[in-house]
Amino acid sequence: MDLRPYSQALCSDTKRGRKPENREAILRALLVAPFENISEFTALRERLVSDIRFRYQCGFELAKRVPSISTFSRVFGQIMEKEIAQKLFNDLVQQCLDEKIIVADTIAIDSTAIDAYEKKQPKSKSQETGNATWGAKYDTFRNKITWFGYKIHLAVDTSSELPIALEVTPANINDGDMGPTLIEKVAAQIPEGRLKYVIEDSGYDQQKNYEAAKAQRAQAIIPLNLRNAQEPPEGFSFNGTPKCSMGYEMVYWGCDKNFLKFRCPHALGKVDCPNGMAWCSSSNYGMVVKINVKDDLRRFSLPHRGTKRWEELYDKRTSVERCNSRLKENLTANDLHIRGIKKVTAYIYLNAIVLLATALASKKINCSPKQKVA
């Protein structure tokens, strides 16, 4: 990775004072730290002092002393203030797009909880700070889990399982509120018209998330959240399937542009209607109903909910769960030793950069000519 443009931004413009420490080497060390499961400035410096090879690989001069802990902390503060990590992350996403590592026609969005390093505070007080606060969610077994900290909101390319956009918020922020922001961030990174599907769980079942996807000419793949849901329109089931005059759900029969096509279930042998097909239609083909998905972006989906294609797309949502897991279990995203949402955001970006850089390095190695063995 050529870090010179980013390290240059960390250098002071003035020529006065002592010669600054090697900013590029410090930045490289801060990037390598999550990969080496190092989450503290103290531990990073100790590793650099004790491991000469590691120090050399980061770019430090072996004849000089390793920078102090306060220097690492100060440089990290500059990375935070100047948003260096965000810029590097966005540039690496573009490189992954250019190398065709990231496809970005289908993305998955989800959040994950991370614990704060700050001292725990009452909910009423912590929510006023804009930093760590109390969050709550239900696990797979409907057990309520609470934590004091933050949320990482990720938009991940389902093909490569690499992050394209991220946001860090206090733990009490609703997942659905961050969906449109992430979709807009992804759209700003990829070529116009590339995005086809946005996959999210039922926590994102809000009108604004469907509209945000539609604004990018993409289809939101979100299960309907039936808790506190209103009754569907008359003549429809909860998943948007029209019902015939006898109350049977009609059979999905493909689509035509923005229209979903449904046929008589009796004509297709799915039910044994006492009135037969003649009750609804004089045609041997049976009654046909076409639904324009634009009539209700939330209720109607293209492909239709419950179909094999819809289920296949929704199954790709696990890609964002695996990406979250790598950030928290393989790297150091959930091992914070810093305070404040700005610093935490920069720290999470450094972890996400490791995933992108690793993918680029792997692609480069796999594409390099094989060395001849003597």
Side-chain angles (χ1 to χ4, degrees):
M1 293 172 58
D2 184 6
L3 298 178
R4 288 174 295 179
Y6 311 98
S7 60
Q8 187 65 35
L10 297 172
C11 297
S12 174
D13 295 331
T14 180
K15 302 297 182 181
R16 298 179 181 178
R18 60 178 294 183
K19 185 178 179 181
E21 300 286 353
N22 188 334
R23 291 292 188 266
E24 184 177 347
I26 294 175
L27 176 58
R28 193 175 298 277
L30 290 172
L31 287 170
V32 173
F35 187 79
E36 295 291 321
N37 281 306
I38 301 172
S39 58
E40 300 176 78
F41 297 138
T42 303
L44 177 59
R45 188 179 186 278
E46 289 176 353
R47 173 71 183 276
L48 289 166
V49 170
S50 61
D51 190 337
I52 296 177
R53 182 180 180 182
F54 182 69
R55 194 191 320 169
Y56 175 77
Q57 289 173 331
C58 289
F60 291 100
E61 294 184 38
L62 301 183
K64 292 185 177 181
R65 294 185 60 184
V66 176
S68 64
I69 296 171
S70 61
T71 300
F72 279 99
S73 179
R74 186 166 57 253
V75 172
F76 180 80
Q78 291 177 308
I79 292 173
M80 175 197 69
E81 292 293 338
K82 297 182 178 182
E83 298 184 344
I84 301 298
Q86 289 92 319
K87 294 174 184 176
L88 179 54
F89 173 84
N90 291 334
D91 290 345
L92 289 178
V93 169
Q94 286 300 319
Q95 288 185 41
C96 288
L97 284 165
D98 294 340
E99 294 289 338
K100 294 181 173 54
I101 298 172
I102 290 178
V103 180
D105 60 344
T106 304
I107 65 169
I109 292 176
D110 200 4
S111 72
T112 188
I114 52 174
D115 299 315
Y117 189 57
E118 289 99 317
K119 182 180 179 181
K120 294 179 181 179
Q121 298 177 334
K123 184 176 181 180
S124 58
K125 185 176 181 181
S126 63
Q127 288 184 352
E128 296 175 355
T129 65
N131 295 312
T133 188
W134 290 96
K137 65 178 181 179
Y138 291 92
D139 65 11
T140 307
F141 305 102
R142 300 302 299 164
N143 298 311
K144 190 174 183 180
I145 300 173
T146 60
W147 77 100
F148 184 77
Y150 301 92
K151 277 184 180 180
I152 305 173
H153 304 265
L154 272 185
V156 170
D157 171 47
T158 60
S159 176
S160 62
E161 298 184 0
L162 291 173
I164 306 177
L166 70 85
E167 286 281 342
V168 177
T169 66
N172 66 327
I173 299 300
N174 183 272
D175 291 356
D177 292 338
M178 299 306 300
T181 300
L182 290 171
I183 293 173
E184 290 174 4
K185 276 193 165 188
V186 169
Q189 288 278 74
I190 66 176
E192 185 177 355
R194 169 84 57 95
L195 187 60
K196 302 300 181 185
Y197 299 102
V198 178
I199 306 169
E200 299 160 301
D201 64 26
S202 59
Y204 295 84
D205 182 27
Q206 301 175 21
Q207 187 68 21
K208 57 188 174 185
N209 287 304
Y210 295 94
E211 293 174 350
K214 190 64 178 178
Q216 305 302 330
R217 292 181 289 176
Q219 172 65 56
I221 304 296
I222 307 174
L224 292 174
N225 191 339
L226 301 183
R227 289 183 298 168
N228 302 321
Q230 297 180 352
E231 286 293 323
E234 185 177 356
F236 288 90
S237 63
F238 269 107
N239 69 351
T241 302
K243 296 181 179 180
C244 69
S245 55
M246 287 296 293
Y248 296 116
E249 287 193 7
M250 301 186 71
V251 179
Y252 177 64
W253 206 251
C255 63
D256 181 12
K257 295 183 179 179
N258 290 324
F259 288 87
L260 303 174
K261 181 180 177 181
F262 297 88
R263 287 185 62 189
C264 171
H266 180 84
L268 297 170
K270 301 296 182 180
V271 299
D272 184 15
C273 180
N275 295 309
M277 292 187 297
W279 180 267
C280 302
S281 173
S282 58
S283 170
N284 292 332
Y285 193 74
M287 185 179 72
V288 175
V289 173
K290 291 186 177 181
I291 305 295
N292 191 338
V293 295
K294 294 182 179 180
D295 292 342
D296 189 339
L297 295 178
R298 177 178 175 270
R299 184 72 59 184
F300 306 123
S301 174
L302 188 62
H304 183 55
R305 281 189 175 84
T307 60
K308 182 179 179 181
R309 175 58 176 159
W310 193 96
E311 295 294 343
E312 288 174 349
L313 286 168
Y314 187 68
D315 285 344
K316 294 182 179 182
R317 193 187 65 84
T318 55
S319 59
V320 69
E321 295 176 347
R322 286 190 286 271
C323 186
N324 279 327
S325 177
R326 293 183 186 112
L327 287 172
K328 294 171 65 174
E329 297 178 16
N330 299 106
L331 302 177
T332 60
N334 199 30
D335 189 15
L336 302 179
H337 289 86
I338 49 177
R339 300 179 179 90
I341 192 166
K342 287 186 177 181
K343 289 184 178 181
V344 172
T345 299
Y347 186 76
I348 299 303
Y349 267 110
L350 292 178
N351 277 263
I353 286 168
V354 173
L355 296 179
L356 297 171
T358 303
L360 284 165
S362 179
K363 174 72 178 293
K364 184 177 181 180
I365 292 171
N366 292 333
C367 291
S368 62
K370 294 182 179 180
Q371 299 293 328
K372 293 183 179 180
V373 180

